[in-house]
Amino acid sequence: MGYEVDGLVDNAGEKFLLEIKTTVLASDVYTGVGQLHLYDQPIPGVKGARKILLLPGTLGEEIKAAVSSTGIVVLAYDMRYHNDRLMITFPEETRLFSGSCHRQRTWRRNESSLPARFLVARLSA
């Protein structure tokens, strides 16, 4: 069908459906919200999963509240370059939600685009 989720994590029977975006532009937020709500229908195994929108930064409180009111948890990660390496870190709120300790991974600037599946694996590890 051409639909693919960024991440589906099963943690002791509780499912989490993750949509990972690489900007906090309004278009990415709207797309992520729509994807999370529509995936229940065409993709087997995601119905009933807790929906998480993972963004590279924070949203304004008003839009975050609006997204949250639709049943989606909004979490953040941080991307920045340091010594020609892409650093990915998760703020405390995201780490507390996922129950994980500090997670970090680096990529060289010339490597391919941000591997979203890595973020899922690290967030859920």
Side-chain angles (χ1 to χ4, degrees), residues 89-100:
T89 56
F90 296 99
E92 183 177 9
E93 178 184 15
T94 302
R95 291 192 317 268
L96 290 173
F97 178 85
S98 68
S100 65

Side-chain angles (χ1 to χ4, degrees), residues 21-40:
K21 295 300 177 193
T22 57
T23 77
V24 291
L25 294 173
S27 59
D28 272 354
V29 174
Y30 298 151
T31 300
V33 168
Q35 287 172 294
L36 286 165
H37 285 300
L38 291 175
Y39 283 158
D40 279 352

Side-chain angles (χ1 to χ4, degrees), residues 1-5 35 39 42-43:
M1 283 179 92
Y3 298 102
E4 185 178 309
V5 300
Q35 287 172 294
Y39 283 158
I43 299 177

Side-chain angles (χ1 to χ4, degrees), residues 21-105:
K21 295 300 177 193
T22 57
T23 77
V24 291
L25 294 173
S27 59
D28 272 354
V29 174
Y30 298 151
T31 300
V33 168
Q35 287 172 294
L36 286 165
H37 285 300
L38 291 175
Y39 283 158
D40 279 352
Q41 300 306 316
I43 299 177
V46 301
K47 194 165 189 84
R50 195 159 178 198
K51 297 170 175 72
I52 300 171
L53 181 59
L54 191 57
L55 301 169
T58 57
L59 292 178
E61 288 303 315
E62 191 173 323
I63 190 69
K64 184 176 179 179
V67 172
S68 296
S69 74
T70 72
I72 294 173
V73 176
V74 179
L75 296 174
Y77 67 94
D78 183 50
M79 291 190 304
R80 69 178 66 149
Y81 281 97
H82 179 72
N83 295 331
D84 205 34
R85 293 182 183 269
L86 178 61
M87 306 293 288
I88 306 293
T89 56
F90 296 99
E92 183 177 9
E93 178 184 15
T94 302
R95 291 192 317 268
L96 290 173
F97 178 85
S98 68
S100 65
C101 61
H102 179 74
R103 305 283 185 194
Q104 181 171 294
R105 167 72 157 94

